[in-house]
Amino acid sequence: MQLWHEMEREGMEELIFCHDPRRGLKAVIAIHSTALGPALGGCRYWTYASEEEAVRDAIKLAKGMTYKSAVSGLPYGGGKAVVWDVPAELFTHPGEARPNIHLAFGKGKQNTGHPANIIKDKETLDGLDKGSGMGMGMSSTNNLQACRRAETFRSLGRYLARLNGRYVTGLDLGTTVADMDQIRLETVHVTDTTGSLGAQDDFTAEMTAYGVYTGIVTSLRHQGIDALQGISIAVQGLGKVGYALCRYLHAAGARLIVADVVPERVQRALVQFSGAISADPAHIHAADCKVFAPCALGCVLTPATVEELRCSIVAGAANNQLSHRELVVRRMQARGILYAPDYVLNAGGIISTAYELEGAGPDLIRQKVAGIAGTLSKVYTIAEQTALSTADAADQLAEAVLQSAKP
Ligand code: NAI
């Protein structure tokens, strides 16, 4: 991989490689841009097939965060930390002493045996190996893994501390509030720690869903439809965001078509949302509906699936919905399907984090998330005035904001 070439191509400011074998840390911190403010973006804990894949992922995700914050008018840049979930044995150097982590479960208000509760005190790992004294119903192997993980994230915290706030991290795929709490032991530049709004998983997902709902209403208005009553909307994925979105849509009178690969989630939705019907998860994109809302995986809009769409609006929460960006976007445009760019629509989570950092509470955050309507309208206006696709119009808007910030 030609790193500098890649950085130049993507406009990256900085890549920081972290390597702390004793604490199982192999990570890359990608700071894409600080033109608008400190780089903001979560920390992903993932298994990668190669170093190249991990670095590419970090770069792509960090750049995405820059655009998401810029288009949303937030005073933050874009960054991401990617921690490579490397099996512990690969990190143990032969003959090397184990880190001397001391544990004291039984302190603090919540004594769950969770790594967040690890405090330097009392027992050692050696004691744990012998299964001594935990009394928490967890196996010593689990405790050992929890300790290793805690050390890994605390080590990452030390690297983050050196950045003096140029990058602020938080939750992302594979990371937990407990991981953020470990980072917090070393630096204040971390969100989603215990007690924060962001640590309440439902709050962030709720805000993301609310933003998507707002965007669907805006998109329908753009096509001359003022009320959701009786409008059929296909929601793919009934996880945290998809389910909350269904709640908003159902309350507004929409007719729901739902799909998930987990049958219980579908059943729950069918019971909860009167009039809802289910669809095959693999074919819900082709449902006869007004709006298709992808809220599961990325890359659902491919050259093949785009030909099968029967909706007139695509507006959902999933990140990176376009498998072949130019091709898919052009086909949607040619077929008269309005595409609500994913990073504009699903910005509710980052808006929520950014305003919580400024000290805002839930009511103000909700108001700010509602601003997604205005951003999306701007994107649609630019697209109409310039004949650009809505995806390109969103990029243009974000890039204009970034340009204006440059000295
Ligand atoms: P989640 O993991 O809670 O839910 C995803 C759901 O999709 C699960 O119920 C899963 O069973 C289902 N699913 C997986 N494959 C499927 C398939 N082929 N067809 C139908 N359903 C399938 O995730 P969450 O938090 O609800 O996020 C949904 C999407 O929104 C993801 O793409 C995520 O990256 C994106 N997003 C989420 C944000 C958040 O605040 N949670 C913020 C921004 C984007």
Side-chain angles (χ1 to χ4, degrees), residues 23-47:
R23 291 170 187 84
L25 179 72
K26 194 167 183 178
V28 55
I29 300 166
I31 298 179
H32 178 262
S33 167
T34 53
L36 297 170
L40 187 61
C43 173
R44 186 164 283 198
Y45 188 48
W46 210 245
T47 307

Side-chain angles (χ1 to χ4, degrees), residues 269-323:
L270 295 182
V271 170
Q272 190 73 35
F273 307 122
S274 52
I277 56 170
S278 64
D280 176 354
H283 295 107
I284 188 168
H285 62 272
D288 186 6
C289 59
K290 186 74 188 165
V291 182
F292 170 49
C295 296
L297 310 167
C299 292
V300 288
L301 299 169
T302 67
T305 59
V306 80
E307 301 301 338
E308 295 168 354
L309 292 174
R310 286 200 277 167
C311 56
S312 62
I313 295 168
V314 174
N319 278 314
N320 303 319
Q321 292 168 23
L322 313 169
S323 74

Side-chain angles (χ1 to χ4, degrees), residues 352-370:
S352 163
T353 304
Y355 280 96
E356 192 184 1
L357 276 170
E358 309 295 316
D363 294 343
L364 180 58
I365 288 174
R366 185 174 280 268
Q367 263 179 44
K368 296 295 178 185
V369 171

Side-chain angles (χ1 to χ4, degrees), residues 44 68 173 201 204-209 236-243 259-262 265 281-282 284 294-298 300 317-319 346-350:
R44 186 164 283 198
K68 196 183 284 204
L173 275 184
D201 205 16
T204 310
E206 181 77 26
M207 288 303 100
T208 303
Q236 180 186 44
L238 299 168
K240 294 183 291 290
V241 176
Y243 198 82
D260 198 290
V261 288
V262 179
R265 292 187 185 158
I284 188 168
C295 296
L297 310 167
V300 288
N319 278 314
N346 70 18
I350 197 73

Side-chain angles (χ1 to χ4, degrees), residues 72-392:
S72 305
L74 300 174
Y76 288 96
K80 211 83 179 182
V82 165
V83 178
W84 193 350
D85 183 5
V86 186
E89 56 273 20
L90 295 187
F91 259 120
T92 320
H93 288 183
E96 191 179 63
R98 283 217 201 97
N100 190 26
I101 304 172
H102 291 71
L103 303 167
F105 293 95
K107 285 192 174 179
K109 54 184 163 70
Q110 282 181 322
N111 186 5
T112 59
H114 207 263
N117 294 327
I118 293 170
I119 304 162
K120 294 212 169 201
D121 202 342
K122 286 187 181 161
E123 285 189 88
T124 65
L125 275 182
D126 288 331
L128 283 176
D129 272 353
K130 291 176 203 139
S132 72
M134 299 306 294
M136 303 298 300
M138 289 172 75
S139 71
S140 60
T141 312
N142 282 349
N143 283 321
L144 202 59
Q145 280 170 355
C147 293
R148 285 194 175 124
R149 183 165 174 144
E151 278 292 289
T152 301
F153 281 91
R154 185 146 185 189
S155 173
L156 178 68
R158 284 189 277 274
Y159 282 92
L160 294 173
R162 285 180 219 157
L163 296 173
N164 289 320
R166 257 170 68 68
Y167 166 59
V168 182
T169 198
L171 284 175
D172 199 273
L173 275 184
T175 47
T176 65
V177 173
D179 300 331
M180 299 306 116
D181 286 344
Q182 285 299 313
I183 293 172
R184 181 67 181 79
L185 294 174
E186 300 291 345
T187 175
V188 294
H189 302 296
V190 55
T191 62
D192 309 329
T193 51
T194 298
S196 66
L197 279 173
Q200 300 164 23
D201 205 16
D202 288 351
F203 183 77
T204 310
E206 181 77 26
M207 288 303 100
T208 303
Y210 182 55
V212 174
Y213 167 73
T214 306
I216 288 175
V217 171
T218 308
S219 305
L220 285 166
R221 287 211 180 114
H222 190 74
Q223 293 193 339
I225 299 169
D226 281 329
L228 272 162
Q229 190 64 42
I231 300 293
S232 58
I233 302 186
V235 180
Q236 180 186 44
L238 299 168
K240 294 183 291 290
V241 176
Y243 198 82
L245 174 64
C246 286
R247 231 190 312 107
Y248 284 110
L249 295 171
H250 181 255
R255 283 196 303 117
L256 294 175
I257 304 169
V258 295
D260 198 290
V261 288
V262 179
E264 295 75 36
R265 292 187 185 158
V266 177
Q267 271 315 311
R268 185 170 67 133
L270 295 182
V271 170
Q272 190 73 35
F273 307 122
S274 52
I277 56 170
S278 64
D280 176 354
H283 295 107
I284 188 168
H285 62 272
D288 186 6
C289 59
K290 186 74 188 165
V291 182
F292 170 49
C295 296
L297 310 167
C299 292
V300 288
L301 299 169
T302 67
T305 59
V306 80
E307 301 301 338
E308 295 168 354
L309 292 174
R310 286 200 277 167
C311 56
S312 62
I313 295 168
V314 174
N319 278 314
N320 303 319
Q321 292 168 23
L322 313 169
S323 74
H324 299 72
R325 183 188 154 114
E326 296 314 321
L327 227 155
V328 170
V329 152
R330 230 180 306 121
R331 277 307 292 154
M332 278 196 281
Q333 220 180 346
R335 295 194 55 209
I337 298 169
L338 184 64
Y339 170 63
D342 47 18
Y343 70 82
V344 177
L345 212 64
N346 70 18
I350 197 73
I351 292 173
S352 163
T353 304
Y355 280 96
E356 192 184 1
L357 276 170
E358 309 295 316
D363 294 343
L364 180 58
I365 288 174
R366 185 174 280 268
Q367 263 179 44
K368 296 295 178 185
V369 171
I372 286 175
T375 310
L376 195 58
S377 295
K378 259 190 232 165
V379 168
Y380 289 158
T381 304
I382 295 172
E384 273 178 357
Q385 288 172 347
T386 57
L388 284 174
S389 70
T390 51
D392 288 342

